[in-house]
Amino acid sequence: MLPRRRGARSRATAGQAAFRAYVSADRRAPVSELAGQLLRKAFPDHWSFLLGEIALYSFVVLVLTGSFLTLFFDPSLAEVPYTGSYQPLQGLLVSKAYETTLQLSFDVRGGLLMRQMHHWAALVFVAAIGVHMLRVFFTGAFRRPRELNWVIGVTLFLLALLEGFCGYSLPDDLLSGTGLRTANSIVLSIPVVGTYLSFFLWGGAFPGTAIDRRLYIVHVLFVPGALIALITVHLILVVYLKHTQWAGLGKTNRNVVGLPMFPSFVAKSTGLSLMVAGLTAVLGAVAQINPVWLFGPYQPDQVSTDAQPDWYVGFLEGALRLMPGVETDVAGHTFMWNVLLPALVLPALLFLVLYLYPVFERWVTGDMVEHHLCDRPRDRPARTGLGVAAISCYAVLIMAGGNDVMAVWFDVSLNMLTWTFRVAVFVVPVLAYVVTKRVCLALQRHDRRLLEEGEETGEVHQDVAGGMSESHEPVGREERYKLLVRDLARPLGDPGRSAPLRSRIRASLSSWYYGERVDMPATAEERLQAGGRTIDPVSSGTGKDGGES
């Protein structure tokens, strides 16, 4: 009895101390108010909103496994004889970076599991960010008031690519060294300052002596710190601005319908985090990745075929392989267009387009309304077509990055493959845009037919004259709501030939962007109701057309 009383007394004391601490904090800061608002926050219940959480939890796995790896890894390029337990490399001169990577893989308990979990988590992290951004793009969740969060997301994606490249380059094996040689060539291609910048980054002529240590600091300190800061700001903005949601009964542009944060969302999110960690652990345990002991240590005079980077920077590899060898000498400086354009100009343009796209779409529509309802991709055929075209271009470049492997496996000419991809990188995106836009318009026509005729029941009837017909039933209230509540802009009117060139260009782009559409059949009352569901929650205005039904 005495131990029980002591335990109860200790718990009571701890509870009183916690209560006093809470009261003290609440008197000095709005703890109760903020906690109450946060716990009551609603989270839309749809699988597509979990993509960002997958990225978050894979980043947590990255931080935890990376913290373990830093205890054993040495980024020095100083050469030492290898004396570890991997017999084929015994006595070979290797760098400390490569030696400690092998030590982690064969001599540290759980080291190989941590290495492979870290690598798999990195791939999942970048993939989840990419797919999450695609979801935001195709559903229009980047529009006002979330433009800043879109910019933060693009920056997170850029930093994730940089973080992945730095980590990929650290082991100093033959594969990562080949990647660093490519990076050195890219830096050298920068006009005027390229040679100076290369000498500074690598600590001398390639392969240099300082690059691994500098990449290590960037990988474990600077970029993770920036990622943590941006993720924190991103989550704060998500809470402050509230989530977007798909149209449905009871869901409007002025509310959020979903599960409360506690206990529903917390339980679901906790389960997802455990699933991400568990899946990463399983992959790290059973799926071999980056076996640096098979590649061997990096030697500047050696390179192998079938050497491709991780998938997220594979498009740069493909672009480099497709660009013809073109150089120009200007005032004693060599412009290496075959490296400068695909490896520097192309990614710079890519991220510039990503950063500025919300501004472009807002300028084309003249729309200053806040949007909290997700667009269905079929209702924005031009935007969806552009997104699919970009994905198809990325896919062509990814495949071009492995043209040597494809030539060997399929026994075809490498030169023929290269020229095929050179044509495809321009033709395929155009075809993808045209086909996607036609498919979106066809799906809109299907929606219109559903509203006019109803859903097919599968029952066929024969009339007295012998004719056959299929019966239909009206579309349900939930489905009808989704089809009618569409927040679409209408193209701007023709400003006339006397208007400034900027206005005429804007009108032309608006017509191209929003000119083709299929209006849904609805009564005047339904149109009024649909406009009320998409009304601006701030100004109570209706944007360009008050919503479209």
Side-chain angles (χ1 to χ4, degrees):
M1 293 294 293
L2 185 58
R4 290 185 180 178
R5 290 180 180 177
R6 289 179 177 175
R9 191 180 301 114
S10 299
R11 289 192 294 271
T13 303
Q16 292 174 0
F19 178 74
R20 286 195 296 269
Y22 175 81
V23 171
S24 178
D26 190 49
R27 288 174 177 174
R28 293 163 176 80
V31 177
S32 297
E33 182 180 353
L34 293 178
Q37 292 178 356
L38 186 61
L39 293 177
R40 291 193 303 269
K41 179 176 173 57
F43 287 83
D45 188 18
H46 193 272
W47 66 266
S48 63
F49 296 105
L50 300 179
L51 296 169
E53 293 184 48
I54 293 175
L56 174 63
Y57 297 135
S58 59
F59 179 72
V60 173
V61 175
L62 275 173
V63 172
L64 295 177
T65 55
S67 300
F68 177 87
L69 296 177
T70 57
L71 301 176
F72 303 94
F73 182 73
D74 183 351
S76 172
L77 293 179
E79 289 191 334
V80 295
Y82 177 68
T83 58
S85 57
Y86 187 64
Q87 293 297 325
L89 296 179
Q90 282 282 350
L92 190 67
L93 282 178
V94 299
S95 66
K96 286 290 292 183
Y98 189 70
E99 181 198 35
T100 51
T101 303
L102 293 181
Q103 180 188 7
L104 269 165
S105 302
F106 296 107
D107 302 318
V108 175
R109 186 179 295 274
L112 182 59
L113 176 63
M114 291 295 106
R115 271 197 64 234
Q116 299 203 146
M117 283 184 64
H118 191 72
H119 203 130
W120 279 115
L123 298 182
V124 173
F125 177 58
V126 179
I129 291 179
V131 178
H132 178 61
M133 288 182 61
L134 288 176
R135 197 278 301 175
V136 171
F137 175 82
F138 284 121
T139 62
F142 55 83
R143 295 174 296 175
R144 186 179 181 186
R146 297 176 180 83
E147 298 97 333
L148 178 59
N149 236 3
W150 170 260
V151 170
I152 292 175
V154 174
T155 306
L156 283 171
F157 186 62
L158 178 60
L159 289 176
L161 298 183
L162 175 61
E163 180 77 343
F165 172 76
C166 292
Y168 170 87
S169 304
L170 289 178
D172 195 39
D173 60 286
L174 185 59
L175 185 60
S176 64
T178 303
L180 279 176
R181 177 182 285 279
T182 303
N184 182 259
S185 300
I186 294 172
V187 173
L188 287 173
S189 71
I190 301 175
V192 183
V193 300
T195 52
Y196 303 101
L197 190 59
S198 169
F199 195 88
F200 169 74
L201 292 176
W202 269 262
F206 185 85
T209 59
I211 187 64
D212 248 36
R213 288 189 181 277
R214 290 171 178 173
L215 289 178
Y216 181 70
I217 295 300
V218 171
H219 182 69
V220 304
L221 181 61
F222 294 146
V223 177
L227 285 172
I228 292 172
L230 288 175
I231 288 173
T232 302
V233 175
H234 181 76
L235 294 177
I236 291 174
L237 287 176
V238 168
V239 173
Y240 175 72
L241 297 173
K242 71 184 181 181
H243 280 78
T244 55
Q245 60 185 348
W246 295 97
L249 290 176
K251 301 176 182 178
T252 71
N253 205 35
R254 290 169 290 173
N255 66 1
V256 177
V257 179
L259 301 175
M261 181 173 182
F262 185 84
S264 302
F265 177 77
V266 170
K268 179 185 291 187
S269 188
T270 301
L272 179 63
S273 67
L274 296 176
M275 290 173 61
V276 171
L279 179 61
T280 307
V282 171
L283 287 172
V286 302
Q288 179 176 275
I289 189 170
N290 199 26
V292 296
W293 54 90
L294 298 181
F295 306 146
Y298 178 63
Q299 299 294 333
D301 60 339
Q302 296 180 11
V303 70
S304 64
T305 58
D306 193 13
Q308 283 84 26
D310 283 333
W311 67 268
Y312 46 84
V313 289
F315 74 101
L316 292 179
E317 177 79 13
L320 283 167
R321 296 189 182 197
L322 294 186
M323 183 68 186
V326 180
E327 296 181 359
T328 305
D329 290 327
V330 179
H333 297 282
T334 301
F335 286 74
M336 303 165 57
W337 302 112
N338 55 322
V339 179
L340 182 65
L341 289 180
L344 286 174
V345 176
L346 173 64
L349 288 176
L350 168 64
F351 280 96
L352 181 64
V353 169
L354 289 176
Y355 278 119
L356 296 181
Y357 183 83
V359 178
F360 165 76
E361 186 166 307
R362 187 174 66 244
W363 178 71
V364 168
T365 61
D367 182 10
M368 300 301 292
V369 174
E370 285 193 2
H371 298 277
H372 301 288
L373 290 177
C374 293
D375 290 329
R376 291 199 307 167
R378 67 181 65 180
D379 292 333
R380 300 276 184 162
R383 180 206 293 159
T384 304
L386 289 175
V388 174
I391 294 172
S392 65
C393 181
Y394 184 87
V396 171
L397 293 177
I398 283 283
M399 290 188 291
N403 59 355
D404 55 339
V405 180
M406 297 173 66
V408 172
W409 277 92
F410 296 104
D411 193 22
V412 295
S413 167
L414 178 62
N415 187 59
M416 183 272 291
L417 269 180
T418 301
W419 275 102
T420 300
F421 286 129
R422 283 175 177 172
V423 174
V425 78
F426 294 102
V427 174
V428 170
V430 175
L431 292 177
Y433 172 81
V434 173
V435 172
T436 301
K437 191 170 184 179
R438 294 298 101 193
V439 169
C440 289
L441 292 171
L443 290 173
Q444 289 187 43
R445 295 188 189 96
H446 172 72
D447 292 341
R448 180 182 178 89
R449 189 160 55 250
L450 277 179
L451 292 173
E452 291 176 338
E453 303 176 1
E455 296 180 313
E456 298 176 353
T457 63
E459 297 179 357
V460 179
H461 302 278
Q462 184 176 19
D463 57 26
V464 177
M468 308 294 291
S469 62
E470 186 175 15
S471 62
H472 296 75
E473 60 182 17
V475 176
R477 290 182 61 223
E478 178 76 20
E479 187 65 20
R480 190 173 184 84
Y481 188 101
K482 293 178 182 178
L483 298 181
L484 290 179
V485 179
R486 304 192 305 172
D487 187 12
L488 301 184
R490 291 192 178 276
L492 301 176
D494 185 4
R497 293 186 178 182
S498 60
L501 178 62
R502 182 175 181 271
S503 299
R504 283 180 284 155
I505 292 176
R506 183 184 181 189
S508 299
L509 287 174
S510 178
S511 177
W512 164 70
Y513 217 76
Y514 297 108
E516 293 186 83
R517 58 195 286 161
V518 178
D519 292 327
M520 298 294 125
T523 63
E525 176 64 21
E526 287 177 330
R527 292 181 182 276
L528 181 63
Q529 291 293 330
R533 300 301 186 273
T534 58
I535 194 172
D536 187 357
V538 175
S539 63
S540 297
T542 55
K544 299 301 296 180
D545 62 350
E548 197 273 341
S549 58

